[in-house]
Amino acid sequence: MDYQKENSKIIDKWCSEGWKYGQLISHEAYQRALEGNWNVCLTPTKFVPHEWFGDLKGKKLLGLASGGGQQIPIFNALGAQCTVLDYSSKQCESEHMVAQRENYHVEIIQADMTQKLPFPDETFDIIFHPVSNSYIEKVEPVFQECYRVLKKNGIFLGGYDIGIDYAFDNRKGKIRHPLPFNPLADPKLYKECVKNNLGIQFSHTIEEQIGGQLRAGFQLTHLYEDTDGEGLLHEYNIPSYIATRCIKI
């Protein structure tokens, strides 16, 4: 079952309906970034500390599953040489629209991050990977590929759902599903996801995600927690996301 094609279609649909993660940044926001006034997110609400990036001028940066015309234009304004890889045609279109509007170059690749990344070894200085592995079944191969295409001492910045919101009904305040949440292993759950236009999503543990980065060879340098920004978990300040900064050693 090629669930990634299903997910690509549903994300295109969400973008057409005004999905907040598919809304390209304004010209004014791009201009502010040119002046050094900027922020980006890896998780729903918290901004990534600027010191996690270092000086971006001249750096080769990959936005992995980071289409939509939100973060990549900022990195371009800060002087990075940017490539974005995303499997959603709508998200790639948004990247092209901003680049055309602001007259800069960005390499846009529509591809599936669960496959071998279409880059030589040690291509990038930085990979920026906002929350997206909720839509893939196995995360460790992605971390291994990121390690391969990063240069030595390269920076890997990622945002991750830690799974609690798949168990918890954030509106009704009840436990709704056992973990792991995996529609490919449960036909009833698969039908529920399709019926409710959720895409085919998967829960992943901290062990899978931080442990997977460490097993790939990365060294963890920083992390922070975040909430979803809405719902009961947010109201009670219960973290359901983490962001990590790792380096290739």
Side-chain angles (χ1 to χ4, degrees):
M1 181 183 298
D2 191 349
Y3 70 90
Q4 286 294 72
K5 286 185 178 179
E6 179 70 27
N7 281 340
S8 176
K9 291 177 183 177
I10 197 68
I11 289 176
D12 282 350
K13 181 176 184 292
W14 293 344
C15 290
S16 297
E17 294 171 348
W19 189 42
K20 66 178 179 180
Y21 297 117
Q23 296 177 12
L24 49 82
I25 67 166
S26 67
H27 171 70
E28 291 74 19
Y30 181 78
Q31 289 296 315
R32 289 195 295 271
L34 287 172
E35 298 166 0
N37 183 9
W38 63 280
N39 279 301
V40 294
C41 291
L42 283 164
T43 55
T45 73
K46 289 187 179 179
F47 296 133
V48 184
H50 289 190
E51 56 267 26
W52 280 25
F53 294 92
D55 185 2
L56 284 173
K57 190 172 183 179
K59 298 293 177 63
K60 296 190 70 174
L61 183 147
L62 171 63
L64 184 61
S66 184
Q70 296 185 339
Q71 301 106 4
I72 296 301
I74 299 293
F75 301 141
N76 172 271
L78 297 172
Q81 300 173 32
C82 296
T83 299
V84 61
L85 185 148
D86 202 293
Y87 64 4
S88 163
S89 60
K90 291 291 187 182
Q91 293 288 71
C92 290
E93 286 173 16
S94 292
E95 288 294 341
H96 177 73
M97 289 171 63
V98 180
Q100 188 174 48
R101 186 189 71 199
E102 305 300 344
N103 193 29
Y104 66 77
H105 173 74
V106 58
E107 184 178 11
I108 302 170
I109 298 173
Q110 186 173 355
D112 180 353
M113 70 175 173
T114 64
Q115 306 301 311
K116 183 179 174 67
L117 297 178
F119 311 110
D121 295 356
E122 300 188 352
T123 298
F124 298 101
D125 298 290
I126 300 174
I127 295 177
F128 187 84
H129 179 46
V131 174
S132 56
N133 70 10
S134 303
Y135 300 93
I136 65 174
E137 185 179 21
K138 299 184 184 301
V139 297
E140 289 206 26
V142 175
F143 298 143
Q144 293 163 1
E145 277 294 281
C146 287
Y147 191 88
R148 179 182 68 80
V149 303
L150 267 177
K151 299 176 183 178
K152 185 177 175 60
N153 298 317
I155 300 169
F156 180 38
L157 307 178
Y160 309 104
D161 185 309
I162 61 174
I164 186 173
D165 51 346
Y166 288 97
F168 187 75
D169 188 318
N170 215 1
R171 292 171 296 178
K172 297 181 180 179
K174 297 179 180 180
I175 298 296
R176 58 176 179 172
H177 292 296
L179 298 180
F181 185 96
N182 184 343
L184 299 187
D186 184 342
K188 181 179 178 181
L189 186 57
Y190 188 95
K191 290 180 181 179
E192 179 183 329
C193 289
V194 172
K195 177 182 177 181
N196 294 318
N197 292 313
L198 299 175
I200 309 306
Q201 298 191 38
F202 305 86
S203 67
H204 296 294
T205 63
I206 292 175
E207 180 179 350
E208 283 180 89
Q209 297 182 112
I210 293 184
Q213 292 177 76
L214 299 178
R215 285 187 289 275
F218 285 108
Q219 176 179 303
L220 179 67
T221 64
H222 300 81
L223 63 80
Y224 60 81
E225 298 174 308
D226 198 5
T227 71
D228 194 32
E230 59 185 7
L232 285 171
L233 292 175
H234 172 72
E235 290 174 17
Y236 283 87
N237 198 33
I238 299 173
S240 51
Y241 294 84
I242 54 171
T244 61
R245 180 188 187 273
C246 291
I247 59 171
K248 177 176 178 176
I249 56 175

